[in-house]
């Protein structure tokens, strides 16, 4: 190898080594410190706020400023050489939202079949999430906005609307946003702050219809139904009850339906007496009120109802019952709001989801009731039994579901007809031209009754006078 070639090779080796050293040194360089930023409103040269096309403030991010570090006594902290120490300004901790849940009831809490279930959900919110809750009862649809305002003034930023009657009112109120979330029973339209829910109550109603037919006195063969025309999916529930009964009595199924308002005991009594006069051996109540149970229970009539506590109300007369189970769903929705992962949906739970339940069978029911009904219940729960499967005719004899066809749950919620096993219907409803408005008193759990408008302090006694010595 010539001397020239050796020089070239040595020079290349030096360059390679230098590149390696440079690369290694580059890896050891400390990355530039990331400057923390803060969000501020944008202003123009005159200090005026800059807004978007909708009039909302616009924002931008700017670096945090540095400030001199001081100790507890206010003295400047320096290093070993006496230079002052600096740090980025500390932004205030974001204020944590305190959530409070207000329930709006269309009727009274005591004696209500559905509100009884909502009260269980309210108690579960307090137990599981530790939130303060309250409610206003007997709210008319026209007064829903006022009820919401009263609850908001009390600090509620989550409103649970407990009646399908309020669905349209919720939609209108929610447009104002103002930091309020709505959980709407029976609603069908969601938005950024509204979620809706309900349940396929007709599934358990069908099982109850089978129980009613199985316990019929053969000499009567008539089943009575008293229902509120404003109840949730009332036609779907009543029809499913009739179809369940037909699983036992087939074409001989004879159901009589009387309509009455839940808030009128007089109408309820007249409707029940009429069913009994027709010879109905079993009565199913689908009302907001549990008064039909108490009234018919005193007459020793076999009863079924949409009441979770029917065994407590009429322990000797009930056969079974069907009801909602809202607690888990409502608690989960409130929790999602607290955790900032709220997802508006329309959820209609079925038997499998646990949203609807069947009440335990009575020990006074006919032997075999639980066995035969439980099998049907399991078929419905698994989806093996489709309740609204044709051929189905309405009360006028018109085919509403073709042979071999089945209605989807969304179609069942739209039903506005009664099946042809309903042999007679009578309405006892009367228009109330002067409905009594809510008093808008806020009710709480006893332990939360500080400043409760529903239970004002007693001021009849003179306050104690305390004399302070000089």
């Amino acid at each position: 190898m010539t001397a020239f070639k050796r020089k070239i090779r040595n020079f290349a080796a030096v360059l390679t080594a230098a590149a390696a050293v440079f690369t290694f040194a580059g890896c050891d360089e400390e990355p530039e410190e990331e400057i923390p930023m803060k969000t501020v409103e944008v202003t123009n040269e005159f200090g005026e706020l800059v807004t978007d096309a909708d009039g909302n403030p616009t924002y931008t991010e700017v670096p945090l400023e540095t400030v001199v570090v001081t100790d507890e006594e206010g003295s400047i902290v320096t290093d070993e050489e006496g230079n002052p120490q600096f740090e980025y300004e500390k932004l205030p901790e974001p204020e944590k939202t305190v959530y409070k849940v207000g329930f709006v009831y269309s009727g009274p809490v005591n004696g209500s079949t559905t509100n009884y279930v909502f009260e269980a959900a309210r108690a579960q919110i307090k137990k599981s999430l530790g939130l303060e809750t309250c409610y206003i009862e007997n709210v008319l649809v026209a007064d829903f906005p006022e009820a919401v305002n009263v609850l908001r003034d009390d600090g509620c930023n989550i409103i649970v609307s407990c009646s399908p009657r309020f669905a349209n009112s919720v939609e209108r109120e929610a447009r104002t946003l103002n930091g309020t979330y709505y959980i709407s029973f029976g609603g069908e339209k969601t938005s950024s702050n509204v979620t809706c829910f309900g349940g396929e109550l007709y599934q358990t109603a069908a099982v109850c219809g089978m129980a009613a037919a199985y316990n019929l006195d053969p000499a009567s063969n008539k089943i009575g139904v008293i229902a509120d025309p404003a109840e949730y999916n009332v036609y779907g529930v009543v029809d499913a009850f009739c179809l369940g009964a037909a699983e036992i009595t087939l074409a001989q199924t004879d159901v009589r339906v009387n309509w009455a308002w839940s808030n009128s005991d007089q109408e309820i009594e007249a409707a029940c007496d009429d069913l009994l006069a027709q010879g109905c051996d079993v009565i199913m109540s689908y009302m907001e009120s549990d008064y039909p149970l108490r009234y018919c229970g005193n007459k020793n009539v076999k009863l079924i109802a949409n009441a979770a506590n029917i065994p407590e109300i009429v322990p000797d007369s009930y056969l079974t019952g069907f009801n909602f189970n809202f607690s888990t769903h409502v608690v989960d929705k409130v929790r999602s709001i607290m955790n900032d992962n709220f997802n508006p949906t329309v959820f209609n739970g079925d038997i499998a989801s646990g949203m609807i339940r069947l009440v335990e069978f009575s020990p006074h029911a006919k032997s075999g009731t639980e066995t035969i009904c439980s099998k049907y219940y399991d078929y419905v729960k698994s989806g093996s039994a489709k309740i609204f499967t044709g051929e189905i005719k309405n009360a006028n004899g018109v085919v509403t579901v073709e042979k071999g066809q089945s209605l989807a749950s969304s179609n069942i919620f739209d039903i506005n007809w009664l099946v042809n096993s309903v042999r007679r219907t009578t309405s006892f409803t009367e228009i109330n031209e002067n409905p009594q408005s809510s008093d808008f008193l806020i009710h709480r759990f006893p332990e939360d009754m500080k400043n409760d408008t529903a239970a004002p302090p007693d001021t009849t006694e003179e306050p104690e006078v305390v004399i302070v010595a000089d």
Side-chain angles (χ1 to χ4, degrees):
M1 181 181 295
T2 64
F4 178 77
K5 289 183 178 180
R6 283 198 299 269
K7 288 180 180 179
I8 292 296
R9 188 181 68 176
N10 291 339
F11 181 70
V14 169
L15 286 177
T16 302
V21 170
F22 178 80
T23 303
F24 184 78
C27 292
D28 281 346
E29 288 183 359
E30 293 185 3
E32 292 186 5
E33 181 182 359
E34 184 176 347
I35 300 176
M37 309 289 283
K38 64 179 179 180
T39 303
V40 298
E41 294 178 337
V42 177
T43 56
N44 60 22
E45 57 184 318
F46 304 106
E48 299 169 336
L49 191 65
V50 176
T51 59
D52 60 19
D54 297 325
N56 300 314
T58 56
Y59 299 89
T60 189
E61 287 195 339
V62 298
L64 288 177
E65 298 177 0
T66 56
V67 294
V68 178
V69 180
T70 58
D71 57 22
E72 296 178 356
E73 298 178 353
S75 301
I76 297 176
V77 177
T78 60
D79 59 16
E80 295 179 353
E81 299 177 356
N83 299 314
Q85 299 297 294
F86 295 88
E87 65 180 3
Y88 288 108
E89 62 176 325
K90 294 180 180 179
L91 295 176
E93 291 291 330
E95 187 174 336
K96 187 176 181 180
T97 302
V98 177
Y99 289 103
K100 184 175 179 180
V101 188
F103 287 65
V104 183
Y105 292 127
S106 64
V109 165
N110 294 328
S112 170
T113 53
T114 304
N115 293 348
Y116 176 91
V117 181
F118 272 112
E119 279 297 278
R122 193 168 73 90
Q124 194 61 43
I125 289 173
K126 180 176 178 63
K127 178 181 178 181
S128 300
L129 306 180
L131 299 186
E132 186 178 348
T133 67
C134 57
Y135 70 84
I136 295 176
E137 60 183 345
N138 295 315
V139 177
L140 301 176
V141 172
D143 293 335
F144 182 83
E146 184 172 352
V148 170
N149 287 335
V150 171
L151 290 171
R152 279 182 49 79
D153 289 344
D154 194 61
C156 294
N157 42 16
I158 301 176
I159 302 295
V160 180
S161 169
C162 305
S163 173
R165 297 175 175 89
F166 297 143
N168 292 332
S169 299
V170 168
E171 184 185 352
R172 288 191 294 269
E173 286 299 301
R175 294 172 188 165
T176 61
L177 296 177
N178 58 33
T180 305
Y181 291 89
Y182 294 85
I183 302 174
S184 176
F185 169 47
E188 297 178 348
K189 295 183 179 179
T190 65
S191 63
S192 62
N193 60 335
V194 179
T195 189
C196 305
F197 72 100
E200 298 178 18
L201 202 60
Y202 61 86
Q203 291 186 338
T204 42
V207 180
C208 288
M210 178 177 282
Y214 190 75
N215 283 269
L216 269 177
D217 183 344
S220 167
N221 196 43
K222 295 185 183 70
I223 301 173
V225 171
I226 177 171
D228 185 328
E231 273 293 75
Y232 178 80
N233 191 212
V234 64
Y235 284 98
V237 169
V238 173
D239 282 347
F241 177 81
C242 295
L243 293 172
E247 294 289 328
I248 300 292
T249 53
L250 303 177
Q252 286 72 44
T253 308
D254 186 344
V255 181
R256 314 297 176 92
V257 177
N258 281 355
W259 304 105
W261 297 122
S262 296
N263 60 1
S264 174
D265 291 351
Q266 182 178 354
E267 290 180 5
I268 290 172
E269 290 182 8
C272 290
D273 288 342
D274 182 70
L275 292 173
L276 295 176
Q278 293 180 57
C280 294
D281 185 48
V282 178
I283 289 181
M284 188 274 275
S285 172
Y286 187 38
M287 308 280 285
E288 281 298 295
S289 170
D290 62 20
Y291 185 70
L293 305 181
R294 303 180 190 280
Y295 184 73
C296 293
N298 291 331
K299 299 178 180 293
N300 298 316
V301 181
K302 287 174 281 190
L303 294 165
I304 290 172
N306 59 317
N309 57 339
I310 187 173
E312 302 170 14
I313 300 172
V314 281
D316 299 326
S317 302
Y318 89 100
L319 295 175
T320 183
F322 57 105
N323 64 285
F324 286 108
N325 175 36
F326 295 145
S327 295
T328 301
H329 182 77
V330 174
V331 170
D332 284 348
K333 284 301 179 182
V334 173
R335 184 185 286 112
S336 73
I337 294 170
M338 296 173 64
N339 295 336
D340 198 25
N341 59 0
F342 179 68
N343 181 28
T345 58
V346 178
F347 177 70
N348 289 309
D350 55 9
I351 291 176
S353 71
M355 182 68 92
I356 56 174
R357 289 182 175 178
L358 191 69
V359 176
E360 63 192 60
F361 293 93
S362 169
H364 304 295
K366 182 180 176 181
S367 177
T369 300
E370 183 170 357
T371 301
I372 190 171
C373 290
S374 294
K375 289 183 179 179
Y376 187 49
Y377 177 89
D378 290 338
Y379 288 144
V380 174
K381 180 179 179 180
S382 65
S384 301
K386 302 292 185 182
I387 297 165
F388 286 86
T389 298
E391 182 182 78
I392 299 176
K393 295 180 179 180
N394 65 17
N396 295 322
V398 178
V399 175
T400 52
V401 183
E402 298 289 343
K403 185 176 181 179
Q405 300 296 312
S406 297
L407 290 184
S409 60
S410 57
N411 299 125
I412 296 171
F413 285 112
D414 292 333
I415 289 176
N416 60 359
W417 42 264
L418 294 173
V419 294
N420 64 343
S421 54
V422 175
R423 306 297 174 83
R424 177 178 169 182
T425 60
T426 306
S427 178
F428 290 83
T429 59
E430 295 183 3
I431 298 176
N432 184 358
E433 297 181 353
N434 296 299
Q436 184 175 358
S437 178
S438 172
D439 53 17
F440 299 106
L441 294 181
I442 295 178
H443 301 265
R444 316 176 200 277
F445 289 116
E447 58 270 29
D448 297 330
M449 288 179 61
K450 54 181 180 297
N451 301 322
D452 190 356
T453 57
D458 185 3
T459 57
T460 57
E461 297 182 1
E462 292 294 327
E464 180 181 358
V465 178
V466 180
I467 300 176
V468 181
D470 293 333

